[in-house]
Amino acid sequence: MPTARRTATFTESVIREMTRIAAEHGALNLAQGFPDFPMPQPLKDAACTAIHADINQYAITWGSPPLRLAIAEKYRRWYGMDIDPERHITVTCGATEAMAAVFLALVNPGDEVIVLEPFYENYGPDAILAEATPVFVPLVQPGWTIDEERLRAAFTKKTKAIIVNTPHNPTGRVLSRDEISLIAELCVEHDVYAFTDEIYEHIRYAGAHHAIATWPGMAERTITISGLSKTFSCTGWRLGYAIAPEKESVAIRKVHDFLTVGAPAPLQAAAAIGMAFDADYYNHLALDYRARRDVMCESLREAGFTFSVPEGAYYILADFSQLSDLPDDEFAKWLTAEVGVATVPGSSFFRGGSTGGSKLVRFAFCKKTETLLAAGERLQSLRSLV
Ligand SMILES: Cc1ncc(COP(=O)(O)O)c(C=O)c1O
């Protein structure tokens, strides 16, 4: 019996496939964006305490009250946002579920959703599952900036939403105030939602984090998505959230309820403690990542890759055309098997059929310095091998 047609329209995650290939070859995994160092001890302790305190049953579907309160308080402190934890927040199983639930709750079949390209690979399948049409707007090299005319031209009568991912995976761009203002202006003019993906909001080396929900006219049309995976180095906890106006939250909560019922209760209890961490924690996080970024950039430069230095997030999208004539997927597999460093082929961040990623691979540097130095050493052999 055939499986559902919708599953034939997207492939398995290339990122997770590369993780499997890395394991097969014993390669250093700079493919998938998860840290190989521990998450903060206070959060681990808080999770154990919650389990021992028998917080092990379903939490309220849209999130435990202490966590929602802590999220609202954090957004008030950091971004001056006025959020009612009772009406505006849905806690989900990761930002991944949040984005999928938001698509299913707010986008109708045939609606257009604008996606800046390259893009985090989940947005394509999200659009397909919601039967929406993704409209891709290429970021412009060098520097991966927004082309105002192309973005303007992408807005049509059918546009329902634009995805705003900053800091950006895979390019490391932090969108500027002017770029955010342009997106906000177009959303208001065309009555379009902004679905944000702010999962790297605290991992920045340049520029400020601009929460588009705080722009004039945007509070009522922004769905702010973020989560704990990156900020607290706990990608396996699967905790995220969507902050939305009341009407939209009602719809998102309905979808979320029937997809997952809720996120893990004891981890939500621990997450409330993380949300209250002060600026010191976030400053250290960014400084630690800056040091890792600098190690990785130096190794890649020495090995012969070219790239824009990331302003945020923890990836480097590197051009390997000076090193090999192979297409990106073959180069990535070769690099894993022969050099022992796993990356993600660039084409997985571009629409099907695009050649935009054919000379690119993405390195994730959310790894211990020793892992990055070991990868750097292996990469130095590259020139003699190619
Ligand atoms: C841009 C972006 N959004 C979302 C996610 C996944 O977030 P979560 O672990 O909260 O589902 C990732 C993970 O790599 C990401 O890069």
mmCIF file of all heavy atoms in Angstrom, residues 2-49:
data_model
loop_
_atom_site.group_PDB
_atom_site.id
_atom_site.type_symbol
_atom_site.label_atom_id
_atom_site.label_comp_id
_atom_site.label_asym_id
_atom_site.label_seq_id
_atom_site.Cartn_x
_atom_site.Cartn_y
_atom_site.Cartn_z
ATOM 1 N N PRO A 2 0.606 2.251 -0.846
ATOM 2 C CA PRO A 2 1.494 3.432 -0.859
ATOM 3 C C PRO A 2 1.333 4.274 0.414
ATOM 4 O O PRO A 2 0.249 4.289 1.002
ATOM 5 C CB PRO A 2 1.017 4.224 -2.085
ATOM 6 C CG PRO A 2 -0.389 3.762 -2.326
ATOM 7 C CD PRO A 2 -0.520 2.374 -1.776
ATOM 8 N N THR A 3 2.394 4.933 0.804
ATOM 9 C CA THR A 3 2.291 5.862 1.939
ATOM 10 C C THR A 3 1.668 7.169 1.434
ATOM 11 O O THR A 3 1.513 7.373 0.228
ATOM 12 C CB THR A 3 3.677 6.145 2.556
ATOM 13 O OG1 THR A 3 4.515 6.653 1.526
ATOM 14 C CG2 THR A 3 4.280 4.875 3.142
ATOM 15 N N ALA A 4 1.335 8.047 2.364
ATOM 16 C CA ALA A 4 0.637 9.280 1.991
ATOM 17 C C ALA A 4 1.471 10.098 1.005
ATOM 18 O O ALA A 4 2.691 10.185 1.147
ATOM 19 C CB ALA A 4 0.334 10.107 3.239
ATOM 20 N N ARG A 5 0.789 10.715 0.031
ATOM 21 C CA ARG A 5 1.489 11.464 -1.032
ATOM 22 C C ARG A 5 2.377 12.567 -0.450
ATOM 23 O O ARG A 5 3.453 12.842 -0.947
ATOM 24 C CB ARG A 5 0.459 12.082 -1.994
ATOM 25 C CG ARG A 5 -0.067 11.116 -3.040
ATOM 26 C CD ARG A 5 -0.858 11.864 -4.089
ATOM 27 N NE ARG A 5 -2.033 12.529 -3.527
ATOM 28 C CZ ARG A 5 -3.190 11.919 -3.271
ATOM 29 N NH1 ARG A 5 -3.325 10.632 -3.529
ATOM 30 N NH2 ARG A 5 -4.207 12.592 -2.766
ATOM 31 N N ARG A 6 1.894 13.180 0.660
ATOM 32 C CA ARG A 6 2.662 14.326 1.158
ATOM 33 C C ARG A 6 4.074 13.912 1.600
ATOM 34 O O ARG A 6 4.999 14.698 1.537
ATOM 35 C CB ARG A 6 1.916 15.039 2.287
ATOM 36 C CG ARG A 6 1.790 14.287 3.593
ATOM 37 C CD ARG A 6 1.128 15.152 4.663
ATOM 38 N NE ARG A 6 -0.290 15.364 4.390
ATOM 39 C CZ ARG A 6 -1.254 14.497 4.736
ATOM 40 N NH1 ARG A 6 -0.972 13.381 5.377
ATOM 41 N NH2 ARG A 6 -2.515 14.758 4.454
ATOM 42 N N THR A 7 4.226 12.638 1.994
ATOM 43 C CA THR A 7 5.562 12.225 2.457
ATOM 44 C C THR A 7 6.533 12.045 1.296
ATOM 45 O O THR A 7 7.734 11.964 1.501
ATOM 46 C CB THR A 7 5.509 10.906 3.257
ATOM 47 O OG1 THR A 7 5.056 9.858 2.380
ATOM 48 C CG2 THR A 7 4.604 11.008 4.465
ATOM 49 N N ALA A 8 5.981 11.974 0.079
ATOM 50 C CA ALA A 8 6.867 11.800 -1.077
ATOM 51 C C ALA A 8 7.447 13.132 -1.519
ATOM 52 O O ALA A 8 8.361 13.172 -2.346
ATOM 53 C CB ALA A 8 6.090 11.170 -2.227
ATOM 54 N N THR A 9 6.939 14.226 -0.973
ATOM 55 C CA THR A 9 7.363 15.535 -1.479
ATOM 56 C C THR A 9 8.521 16.140 -0.682
ATOM 57 O O THR A 9 8.982 17.216 -0.981
ATOM 58 C CB THR A 9 6.177 16.522 -1.471
ATOM 59 O OG1 THR A 9 5.588 16.481 -0.177
ATOM 60 C CG2 THR A 9 5.154 16.147 -2.519
ATOM 61 N N PHE A 10 8.962 15.453 0.363
ATOM 62 C CA PHE A 10 10.198 15.904 1.007
ATOM 63 C C PHE A 10 11.002 14.689 1.446
ATOM 64 O O PHE A 10 10.445 13.605 1.633
ATOM 65 C CB PHE A 10 9.959 16.867 2.173
ATOM 66 C CG PHE A 10 9.003 16.392 3.237
ATOM 67 C CD1 PHE A 10 9.461 15.719 4.351
ATOM 68 C CD2 PHE A 10 7.638 16.639 3.124
ATOM 69 C CE1 PHE A 10 8.578 15.297 5.336
ATOM 70 C CE2 PHE A 10 6.746 16.223 4.106
ATOM 71 C CZ PHE A 10 7.224 15.548 5.221
ATOM 72 N N THR A 11 12.314 14.902 1.583
ATOM 73 C CA THR A 11 13.188 13.778 1.919
ATOM 74 C C THR A 11 13.479 13.809 3.412
ATOM 75 O O THR A 11 13.120 14.760 4.100
ATOM 76 C CB THR A 11 14.522 13.896 1.167
ATOM 77 O OG1 THR A 11 15.056 15.179 1.477
ATOM 78 C CG2 THR A 11 14.342 13.751 -0.320
ATOM 79 N N GLU A 12 14.157 12.772 3.894
ATOM 80 C CA GLU A 12 14.561 12.813 5.302
ATOM 81 C C GLU A 12 15.541 13.969 5.489
ATOM 82 O O GLU A 12 16.152 14.444 4.530
ATOM 83 C CB GLU A 12 15.189 11.483 5.726
ATOM 84 C CG GLU A 12 16.593 11.285 5.211
ATOM 85 C CD GLU A 12 17.392 10.213 5.973
ATOM 86 O OE1 GLU A 12 17.117 9.956 7.148
ATOM 87 O OE2 GLU A 12 18.289 9.652 5.359
ATOM 88 N N SER A 13 15.688 14.400 6.725
ATOM 89 C CA SER A 13 16.579 15.518 7.007
ATOM 90 C C SER A 13 18.016 15.164 6.607
ATOM 91 O O SER A 13 18.571 14.166 7.068
ATOM 92 C CB SER A 13 16.526 15.841 8.496
ATOM 93 O OG SER A 13 17.699 16.507 8.881
ATOM 94 N N VAL A 14 18.603 15.999 5.752
ATOM 95 C CA VAL A 14 19.993 15.770 5.336
ATOM 96 C C VAL A 14 20.920 15.934 6.543
ATOM 97 O O VAL A 14 21.925 15.234 6.696
ATOM 98 C CB VAL A 14 20.385 16.758 4.209
ATOM 99 C CG1 VAL A 14 21.835 16.575 3.811
ATOM 100 C CG2 VAL A 14 19.478 16.587 3.010
ATOM 101 N N ILE A 15 20.547 16.867 7.427
ATOM 102 C CA ILE A 15 21.400 17.135 8.592
ATOM 103 C C ILE A 15 21.495 15.883 9.460
ATOM 104 O O ILE A 15 22.582 15.440 9.848
ATOM 105 C CB ILE A 15 20.845 18.330 9.408
ATOM 106 C CG1 ILE A 15 20.860 19.599 8.541
ATOM 107 C CG2 ILE A 15 21.652 18.525 10.681
ATOM 108 C CD1 ILE A 15 20.277 20.841 9.191
ATOM 109 N N ARG A 16 20.332 15.285 9.719
ATOM 110 C CA ARG A 16 20.346 14.100 10.582
ATOM 111 C C ARG A 16 20.962 12.900 9.852
ATOM 112 O O ARG A 16 21.606 12.049 10.457
ATOM 113 C CB ARG A 16 18.944 13.847 11.138
ATOM 114 C CG ARG A 16 18.563 15.011 12.098
ATOM 115 C CD ARG A 16 17.227 14.913 12.751
ATOM 116 N NE ARG A 16 16.099 15.430 11.991
ATOM 117 C CZ ARG A 16 15.797 16.727 11.814
ATOM 118 N NH1 ARG A 16 16.563 17.677 12.330
ATOM 119 N NH2 ARG A 16 14.725 17.092 11.142
ATOM 120 N N GLU A 17 20.820 12.867 8.518
ATOM 121 C CA GLU A 17 21.470 11.806 7.733
ATOM 122 C C GLU A 17 22.999 11.931 7.866
ATOM 123 O O GLU A 17 23.711 10.936 8.039
ATOM 124 C CB GLU A 17 21.062 11.921 6.253
ATOM 125 C CG GLU A 17 21.634 10.819 5.393
ATOM 126 C CD GLU A 17 21.572 11.118 3.890
ATOM 127 O OE1 GLU A 17 21.129 12.202 3.493
ATOM 128 O OE2 GLU A 17 21.998 10.228 3.127
ATOM 129 N N MET A 18 23.509 13.169 7.804
ATOM 130 C CA MET A 18 24.959 13.361 7.893
ATOM 131 C C MET A 18 25.470 12.937 9.271
ATOM 132 O O MET A 18 26.588 12.450 9.405
ATOM 133 C CB MET A 18 25.341 14.825 7.603
ATOM 134 C CG MET A 18 25.231 15.239 6.153
ATOM 135 S SD MET A 18 26.084 14.158 4.970
ATOM 136 C CE MET A 18 27.795 14.366 5.438
ATOM 137 N N THR A 19 24.631 13.122 10.298
ATOM 138 C CA THR A 19 25.021 12.677 11.640
ATOM 139 C C THR A 19 25.208 11.160 11.649
ATOM 140 O O THR A 19 26.156 10.631 12.228
ATOM 141 C CB THR A 19 23.943 13.122 12.658
ATOM 142 O OG1 THR A 19 24.063 14.531 12.817
ATOM 143 C CG2 THR A 19 24.108 12.459 14.011
ATOM 144 N N ARG A 20 24.315 10.465 10.953
ATOM 145 C CA ARG A 20 24.434 9.001 10.886
ATOM 146 C C ARG A 20 25.701 8.600 10.122
ATOM 147 O O ARG A 20 26.447 7.718 10.550
ATOM 148 C CB ARG A 20 23.212 8.410 10.171
ATOM 149 C CG ARG A 20 22.086 8.041 11.125
ATOM 150 C CD ARG A 20 21.173 7.001 10.515
ATOM 151 N NE ARG A 20 20.735 7.343 9.172
ATOM 152 C CZ ARG A 20 19.751 8.187 8.902
ATOM 153 N NH1 ARG A 20 19.104 8.767 9.883
ATOM 154 N NH2 ARG A 20 19.401 8.442 7.659
ATOM 155 N N ILE A 21 25.957 9.287 9.011
ATOM 156 C CA ILE A 21 27.140 8.961 8.203
ATOM 157 C C ILE A 21 28.409 9.244 9.020
ATOM 158 O O ILE A 21 29.388 8.483 8.974
ATOM 159 C CB ILE A 21 27.140 9.747 6.865
ATOM 160 C CG1 ILE A 21 25.919 9.319 6.032
ATOM 161 C CG2 ILE A 21 28.418 9.533 6.081
ATOM 162 C CD1 ILE A 21 25.747 10.092 4.743
ATOM 163 N N ALA A 22 28.376 10.330 9.805
ATOM 164 C CA ALA A 22 29.538 10.662 10.657
ATOM 165 C C ALA A 22 29.810 9.518 11.618
ATOM 166 O O ALA A 22 30.964 9.101 11.807
ATOM 167 C CB ALA A 22 29.267 11.957 11.430
ATOM 168 N N ALA A 23 28.744 8.975 12.219
ATOM 169 C CA ALA A 23 28.916 7.880 13.192
ATOM 170 C C ALA A 23 29.508 6.649 12.493
ATOM 171 O O ALA A 23 30.410 6.001 13.021
ATOM 172 C CB ALA A 23 27.582 7.563 13.852
ATOM 173 N N GLU A 24 29.025 6.365 11.278
ATOM 174 C CA GLU A 24 29.532 5.201 10.530
ATOM 175 C C GLU A 24 31.052 5.282 10.313
ATOM 176 O O GLU A 24 31.741 4.279 10.343
ATOM 177 C CB GLU A 24 28.896 5.167 9.133
ATOM 178 C CG GLU A 24 27.638 4.309 9.034
ATOM 179 C CD GLU A 24 26.928 4.611 7.719
ATOM 180 O OE1 GLU A 24 27.598 4.751 6.650
ATOM 181 O OE2 GLU A 24 25.699 4.744 7.793
ATOM 182 N N HIS A 25 31.552 6.523 10.066
ATOM 183 C CA HIS A 25 32.977 6.685 9.737
ATOM 184 C C HIS A 25 33.811 7.133 10.928
ATOM 185 O O HIS A 25 34.996 7.428 10.780
ATOM 186 C CB HIS A 25 33.134 7.705 8.600
ATOM 187 C CG HIS A 25 32.603 7.213 7.291
ATOM 188 N ND1 HIS A 25 33.317 6.375 6.465
ATOM 189 C CD2 HIS A 25 31.410 7.407 6.688
ATOM 190 C CE1 HIS A 25 32.594 6.089 5.397
ATOM 191 N NE2 HIS A 25 31.420 6.708 5.511
ATOM 192 N N GLY A 26 33.172 7.245 12.087
ATOM 193 C CA GLY A 26 33.905 7.741 13.261
ATOM 194 C C GLY A 26 34.407 9.165 13.033
ATOM 195 O O GLY A 26 35.451 9.559 13.549
ATOM 196 N N ALA A 27 33.661 9.953 12.250
ATOM 197 C CA ALA A 27 34.098 11.332 11.934
ATOM 198 C C ALA A 27 33.665 12.290 13.045
ATOM 199 O O ALA A 27 32.731 12.005 13.791
ATOM 200 C CB ALA A 27 33.483 11.774 10.607
ATOM 201 N N LEU A 28 34.373 13.413 13.134
ATOM 202 C CA LEU A 28 33.942 14.467 14.053
ATOM 203 C C LEU A 28 32.689 15.091 13.459
ATOM 204 O O LEU A 28 32.677 15.475 12.284
ATOM 205 C CB LEU A 28 35.058 15.520 14.192
ATOM 206 C CG LEU A 28 36.343 14.983 14.843
ATOM 207 C CD1 LEU A 28 37.490 15.961 14.663
ATOM 208 C CD2 LEU A 28 36.107 14.703 16.330
ATOM 209 N N ASN A 29 31.646 15.158 14.262
ATOM 210 C CA ASN A 29 30.353 15.588 13.720
ATOM 211 C C ASN A 29 30.186 17.099 13.836
ATOM 212 O O ASN A 29 29.720 17.603 14.851
ATOM 213 C CB ASN A 29 29.219 14.853 14.445
ATOM 214 C CG ASN A 29 27.855 15.197 13.855
ATOM 215 O OD1 ASN A 29 27.758 15.959 12.890
ATOM 216 N ND2 ASN A 29 26.803 14.639 14.432
ATOM 217 N N LEU A 30 30.570 17.812 12.773
ATOM 218 C CA LEU A 30 30.299 19.261 12.734
ATOM 219 C C LEU A 30 29.096 19.498 11.814
ATOM 220 O O LEU A 30 28.944 20.569 11.232
ATOM 221 C CB LEU A 30 31.524 20.033 12.245
ATOM 222 C CG LEU A 30 32.836 19.834 13.025
ATOM 223 C CD1 LEU A 30 33.877 20.866 12.602
ATOM 224 C CD2 LEU A 30 32.639 19.918 14.536
ATOM 225 N N ALA A 31 28.254 18.480 11.698
ATOM 226 C CA ALA A 31 27.066 18.584 10.843
ATOM 227 C C ALA A 31 25.881 19.107 11.652
ATOM 228 O O ALA A 31 25.380 20.203 11.399
ATOM 229 C CB ALA A 31 26.747 17.228 10.225
ATOM 230 N N GLN A 32 25.455 18.329 12.622
ATOM 231 C CA GLN A 32 24.221 18.707 13.331
ATOM 232 C C GLN A 32 24.525 19.699 14.450
ATOM 233 O O GLN A 32 25.536 19.578 15.148
ATOM 234 C CB GLN A 32 23.550 17.455 13.908
ATOM 235 C CG GLN A 32 22.067 17.652 14.149
ATOM 236 C CD GLN A 32 21.365 16.358 14.545
ATOM 237 O OE1 GLN A 32 21.962 15.290 14.548
ATOM 238 N NE2 GLN A 32 20.097 16.468 14.885
ATOM 239 N N GLY A 33 23.618 20.658 14.618
ATOM 240 C CA GLY A 33 23.836 21.746 15.570
ATOM 241 C C GLY A 33 23.508 21.390 17.005
ATOM 242 O O GLY A 33 22.606 21.969 17.584
ATOM 243 N N PHE A 34 24.247 20.414 17.553
ATOM 244 C CA PHE A 34 24.055 20.172 18.991
ATOM 245 C C PHE A 34 25.398 20.219 19.698
ATOM 246 O O PHE A 34 26.414 19.750 19.163
ATOM 247 C CB PHE A 34 23.342 18.834 19.252
ATOM 248 C CG PHE A 34 24.099 17.616 18.791
ATOM 249 C CD1 PHE A 34 25.082 17.048 19.594
ATOM 250 C CD2 PHE A 34 23.840 17.053 17.558
ATOM 251 C CE1 PHE A 34 25.786 15.933 19.166
ATOM 252 C CE2 PHE A 34 24.548 15.931 17.126
ATOM 253 C CZ PHE A 34 25.523 15.379 17.925
ATOM 254 N N PRO A 35 25.440 20.794 20.905
ATOM 255 C CA PRO A 35 26.703 20.900 21.635
ATOM 256 C C PRO A 35 27.207 19.533 22.093
ATOM 257 O O PRO A 35 26.405 18.653 22.411
ATOM 258 C CB PRO A 35 26.341 21.759 22.857
ATOM 259 C CG PRO A 35 25.088 22.464 22.493
ATOM 260 C CD PRO A 35 24.352 21.515 21.586
ATOM 261 N N ASP A 36 28.554 19.397 22.146
ATOM 262 C CA ASP A 36 29.127 18.175 22.724
ATOM 263 C C ASP A 36 29.660 18.454 24.127
ATOM 264 O O ASP A 36 30.496 17.738 24.640
ATOM 265 C CB ASP A 36 30.210 17.583 21.812
ATOM 266 C CG ASP A 36 31.443 18.469 21.688
ATOM 267 O OD1 ASP A 36 31.405 19.633 22.150
ATOM 268 O OD2 ASP A 36 32.465 18.008 21.141
ATOM 269 N N PHE A 37 29.182 19.568 24.724
ATOM 270 C CA PHE A 37 29.579 19.899 26.102
ATOM 271 C C PHE A 37 28.306 19.975 26.957
ATOM 272 O O PHE A 37 27.200 20.074 26.410
ATOM 273 C CB PHE A 37 30.360 21.226 26.145
ATOM 274 C CG PHE A 37 29.731 22.337 25.358
ATOM 275 C CD1 PHE A 37 28.722 23.124 25.898
ATOM 276 C CD2 PHE A 37 30.146 22.592 24.052
ATOM 277 C CE1 PHE A 37 28.143 24.143 25.169
ATOM 278 C CE2 PHE A 37 29.569 23.613 23.304
ATOM 279 C CZ PHE A 37 28.560 24.388 23.866
ATOM 280 N N PRO A 38 28.464 19.897 28.283
ATOM 281 C CA PRO A 38 27.272 19.788 29.134
ATOM 282 C C PRO A 38 26.457 21.074 29.218
ATOM 283 O O PRO A 38 26.989 22.176 29.046
ATOM 284 C CB PRO A 38 27.822 19.444 30.517
ATOM 285 C CG PRO A 38 29.292 19.465 30.423
ATOM 286 C CD PRO A 38 29.721 19.819 29.040
ATOM 287 N N MET A 39 25.188 20.909 29.489
ATOM 288 C CA MET A 39 24.302 22.054 29.740
ATOM 289 C C MET A 39 24.547 22.571 31.168
ATOM 290 O O MET A 39 25.222 21.896 31.952
ATOM 291 C CB MET A 39 22.847 21.644 29.565
ATOM 292 C CG MET A 39 22.338 20.698 30.611
ATOM 293 S SD MET A 39 20.572 20.316 30.415
ATOM 294 C CE MET A 39 19.805 21.920 30.585
ATOM 295 N N PRO A 40 24.012 23.752 31.530
ATOM 296 C CA PRO A 40 24.277 24.308 32.865
ATOM 297 C C PRO A 40 23.798 23.377 33.992
ATOM 298 O O PRO A 40 22.681 22.864 33.950
ATOM 299 C CB PRO A 40 23.479 25.616 32.864
ATOM 300 C CG PRO A 40 23.289 25.957 31.424
ATOM 301 C CD PRO A 40 23.229 24.668 30.686
ATOM 302 N N GLN A 41 24.678 23.204 34.983
ATOM 303 C CA GLN A 41 24.387 22.305 36.106
ATOM 304 C C GLN A 41 23.084 22.676 36.845
ATOM 305 O O GLN A 41 22.295 21.780 37.177
ATOM 306 C CB GLN A 41 25.580 22.312 37.080
ATOM 307 C CG GLN A 41 25.508 21.263 38.170
ATOM 308 C CD GLN A 41 25.542 19.829 37.624
ATOM 309 O OE1 GLN A 41 26.261 19.538 36.666
ATOM 310 N NE2 GLN A 41 24.741 18.948 38.199
ATOM 311 N N PRO A 42 22.822 23.957 37.111
ATOM 312 C CA PRO A 42 21.590 24.273 37.866
ATOM 313 C C PRO A 42 20.323 23.760 37.173
ATOM 314 O O PRO A 42 19.359 23.364 37.843
ATOM 315 C CB PRO A 42 21.579 25.802 37.929
ATOM 316 C CG PRO A 42 22.985 26.215 37.717
ATOM 317 C CD PRO A 42 23.625 25.178 36.843
ATOM 318 N N LEU A 43 20.342 23.732 35.860
ATOM 319 C CA LEU A 43 19.155 23.238 35.152
ATOM 320 C C LEU A 43 19.049 21.721 35.245
ATOM 321 O O LEU A 43 17.965 21.157 35.377
ATOM 322 C CB LEU A 43 19.174 23.670 33.688
ATOM 323 C CG LEU A 43 18.953 25.146 33.422
ATOM 324 C CD1 LEU A 43 18.740 25.398 31.942
ATOM 325 C CD2 LEU A 43 17.763 25.653 34.183
ATOM 326 N N LYS A 44 20.207 21.059 35.196
ATOM 327 C CA LYS A 44 20.184 19.596 35.350
ATOM 328 C C LYS A 44 19.669 19.246 36.737
ATOM 329 O O LYS A 44 18.816 18.360 36.903
ATOM 330 C CB LYS A 44 21.603 19.016 35.171
ATOM 331 C CG LYS A 44 22.122 19.118 33.766
ATOM 332 C CD LYS A 44 23.280 18.161 33.520
ATOM 333 C CE LYS A 44 24.609 18.762 33.866
ATOM 334 N NZ LYS A 44 25.757 17.954 33.461
ATOM 335 N N ASP A 45 20.174 19.978 37.753
ATOM 336 C CA ASP A 45 19.736 19.715 39.135
ATOM 337 C C ASP A 45 18.235 19.968 39.267
ATOM 338 O O ASP A 45 17.516 19.187 39.891
ATOM 339 C CB ASP A 45 20.491 20.623 40.124
ATOM 340 C CG ASP A 45 21.972 20.267 40.182
ATOM 341 O OD1 ASP A 45 22.329 19.150 39.752
ATOM 342 O OD2 ASP A 45 22.762 21.117 40.631
ATOM 343 N N ALA A 46 17.779 21.055 38.648
ATOM 344 C CA ALA A 46 16.351 21.407 38.767
ATOM 345 C C ALA A 46 15.467 20.336 38.115
ATOM 346 O O ALA A 46 14.384 20.008 38.620
ATOM 347 C CB ALA A 46 16.094 22.772 38.136
ATOM 348 N N ALA A 47 15.952 19.758 37.000
ATOM 349 C CA ALA A 47 15.168 18.701 36.339
ATOM 350 C C ALA A 47 15.093 17.467 37.235
ATOM 351 O O ALA A 47 14.029 16.851 37.381
ATOM 352 C CB ALA A 47 15.797 18.356 34.991
ATOM 353 N N CYS A 48 16.232 17.100 37.851
ATOM 354 C CA CYS A 48 16.232 15.924 38.748
ATOM 355 C C CYS A 48 15.308 16.185 39.939
ATOM 356 O O CYS A 48 14.521 15.312 40.334
ATOM 357 C CB CYS A 48 17.644 15.623 39.243
ATOM 358 S SG CYS A 48 18.736 15.122 37.910
ATOM 359 N N THR A 49 15.391 17.391 40.492
ATOM 360 C CA THR A 49 14.530 17.737 41.630
ATOM 361 C C THR A 49 13.067 17.616 41.233
ATOM 362 O O THR A 49 12.244 17.072 41.988
ATOM 363 C CB THR A 49 14.834 19.191 42.102
ATOM 364 O OG1 THR A 49 16.215 19.272 42.388
ATOM 365 C CG2 THR A 49 14.032 19.575 43.335
#
